[in-house]
Amino acid sequence: MCIINILPFSFGSCKCADCTSTISSRNDAIISKYYDSVVENTSGKKKLAIIVPFRDRFDELLKFVPHMTKFLNNQQIPHHIFIINQIDRFRFNRASLINVGFLYTKENFDYIAMHDVDLLPLNENLKYDYPIDGPFHIAAPGLHPKYNYPTFIGGILLLKNEHFEMVNGMSNKYWGWGLEDDEFYVRLKDVKLKVYRPQNILTGSSDTFNHIHDRAHRRRDTTKCFNQKEETRKRDTKTGLNTIKYEIKNRNELSIDGIKVTILNVDLKCDKNSTPWCDCSNQESSKPMPRKGLRKKK
Ligand code: UDP
Ligand code: MN
């Protein structure tokens, strides 16, 4: 069942996965209007949707957009940037936001880059070409500034639409920081998709990317509540593109230094029976420690 609002900017809102095709056909005209100007000189090539899972990272976004646009234009990659902004009050869900971005862009684009907003590629030999044979992990272990284990596929990952659909996208069970990318690795492995990585890169973990991540200012939400710890360590064979529940509340076309990007304001729905840890606010584990300076005098 799908609820479509007819708004001045003709925007659809969706309550479930099955109605996305209705929306995407209406989005065709809207997306291509903004998109045409970006790809004028490179038509005929496969089109890349940069999908950025996002919440409260405005400073990073202001750096990301000009940097990525220049970087991709140098490689003549036809692309458009989609900021998938989580506006509900549940914990951040990177994987579900990527699913939303994919469902929104799949009719008009050939491949996606799931792309952290704070990870800027510096080495021009990191190529964002169409990943014809299998997922292409740009932020590879050994190159990523922080994560260096062989099965790591987070940060920046390119997939053609068919491959993302083949694994039913990402799990929707990962609220809060971590593990959603590791679960996605198992999805790829299960269908025997080989992950490719950049070759012959002469830079290393300190100079391949700029990770604009201040750990004190941008605290990772590592809280675990209810049975999250156990449940998120398992491969999820149930949830993904075909189960995601969300509503796109509205859309903004934002211009940063003259570059147009699309912001989707997304309200994710949480089924508290299956993933109660989407909200840990009333749980023991997430109570803040008393701070010394605020203790009452006896
Ligand atoms: N993110 C966000 N807001 C948040 C948490 C995460 O926008 O509150 C997005 C953002 O794109 C970020 C990515 O999710 O780059 C990964 O999160 P983070 O950088 O905290 O994790 P890291 O990979 O650096 O450990
Ligand atoms: Mn980061």
Side-chain angles (χ1 to χ4, degrees):
M1 192 35 211
C2 181
I3 299 170
I4 303 281
N5 299 324
I6 308 297
L7 297 174
F9 284 93
S10 73
F11 197 75
S13 63
C14 179
K15 286 232 189 282
C16 63
D18 354 329
C19 58
T20 46
S21 58
T22 322
I23 288 174
S24 26
S25 56
R26 252 158 24 93
N27 283 337
D28 278 9
I30 304 166
I31 293 180
S32 53
K33 187 176 132 212
Y34 289 97
Y35 176 63
D36 280 350
S37 57
V38 183
V39 296
E40 253 166 37
N41 301 321
T42 46
S43 56
K45 284 182 87 173
K46 299 287 189 190
K47 295 167 192 167
L48 169 64
I50 301 279
I51 294 179
V52 182
F54 186 87
R55 176 186 264 171
D56 299 335
R57 293 283 183 275
F58 194 63
D59 299 351
E60 290 85 336
L61 184 64
L62 294 180
K63 292 181 181 159
F64 178 82
V65 170
H67 181 94
M68 287 312 299
T69 304
K70 193 168 168 217
F71 195 85
L72 294 171
N73 285 347
N74 279 341
Q75 296 184 16
Q76 300 196 312
I77 306 282
H79 68 278
H80 187 78
I81 297 174
F82 294 86
I83 308 300
I84 320 298
N85 183 31
Q86 185 177 342
I87 60 167
D88 54 75
R89 289 292 163 256
F90 297 119
R91 299 170 72 202
F92 189 67
N93 190 328
R94 178 176 177 272
S96 288
L97 295 172
I98 292 168
N99 284 342
V100 172
F102 174 79
L103 291 170
Y104 189 81
T105 58
K106 66 175 190 168
E107 302 299 333
N108 293 283
F109 292 79
D110 304 295
Y111 64 121
I112 59 165
M114 39 177 100
H115 212 302
D116 283 3
V117 73
D118 63 3
L119 205 54
L120 310 185
L122 301 176
N123 187 328
E124 59 194 31
N125 292 319
L126 298 171
K127 300 295 183 199
Y128 281 66
D129 293 321
Y130 183 63
I132 189 153
D133 297 321
F136 189 70
H137 186 216
I138 302 228
L143 302 179
H144 190 284
K146 188 172 161 63
Y147 303 111
N148 187 10
Y149 53 95
T151 59
F152 175 64
I153 52 161
I156 308 167
L157 182 67
L158 270 53
L159 284 111
K160 63 177 183 179
N161 289 2
E162 293 80 359
H163 286 159
F164 196 68
E165 261 174 340
M166 188 190 283
V167 295
N168 194 21
M170 299 187 79
S171 168
N172 297 308
K173 290 172 119 178
Y174 291 81
W175 305 90
W177 179 86
L179 290 181
E180 81 292 342
D181 45 359
D182 295 319
E183 200 277 343
F184 191 64
Y185 177 84
V186 184
R187 290 184 179 223
L188 300 177
K189 198 167 170 247
D190 284 353
V191 296
K192 303 200 168 28
L193 272 177
K194 180 180 170 202
V195 176
Y196 293 82
R197 295 209 168 97
Q199 299 297 313
N200 306 318
I201 299 294
L202 300 176
T203 49
S205 60
S206 63
D207 53 357
T208 305
F209 297 96
N210 180 10
H211 191 195
I212 29 174
H213 190 137
D214 178 331
R215 288 179 66 179
H217 185 49
R218 301 299 196 208
R219 300 286 291 270
R220 297 183 171 103
D221 170 15
T222 55
T223 299
K224 301 277 182 278
C225 68
F226 296 97
N227 53 342
Q228 178 178 12
K229 203 169 177 178
E230 302 79 62
E231 287 302 308
T232 54
R233 286 186 175 281
K234 296 179 193 157
R235 159 79 156 95
D236 167 19
T237 53
K238 300 240 156 53
T239 81
L241 286 174
N242 66 349
T243 65
I244 185 166
K245 302 242 183 318
Y246 65 102
E247 190 173 348
I248 299 176
K249 286 290 189 182
N250 66 341
R251 197 187 69 182
N252 297 105
E253 298 302 334
L254 183 69
S255 176
I256 297 175
D257 294 354
I259 302 155
K260 283 173 181 152
V261 301
T262 298
I263 306 200
L264 297 186
N265 297 301
V266 177
D267 201 357
L268 294 177
K269 314 292 177 193
C270 169
D271 174 0
K272 289 200 173 177
N273 290 319
S274 79
T275 59
W277 56 87
C278 62
D279 178 5
C280 292
S281 58
N282 295 322
Q283 293 298 302
E284 193 65 33
S285 59
S286 66
K287 277 189 184 153
M289 297 287 286
R291 284 191 295 172
K292 270 187 186 163
L294 295 179
R295 267 185 198 152
K296 278 185 189 158
K297 280 181 187 158
K298 281 184 185 160

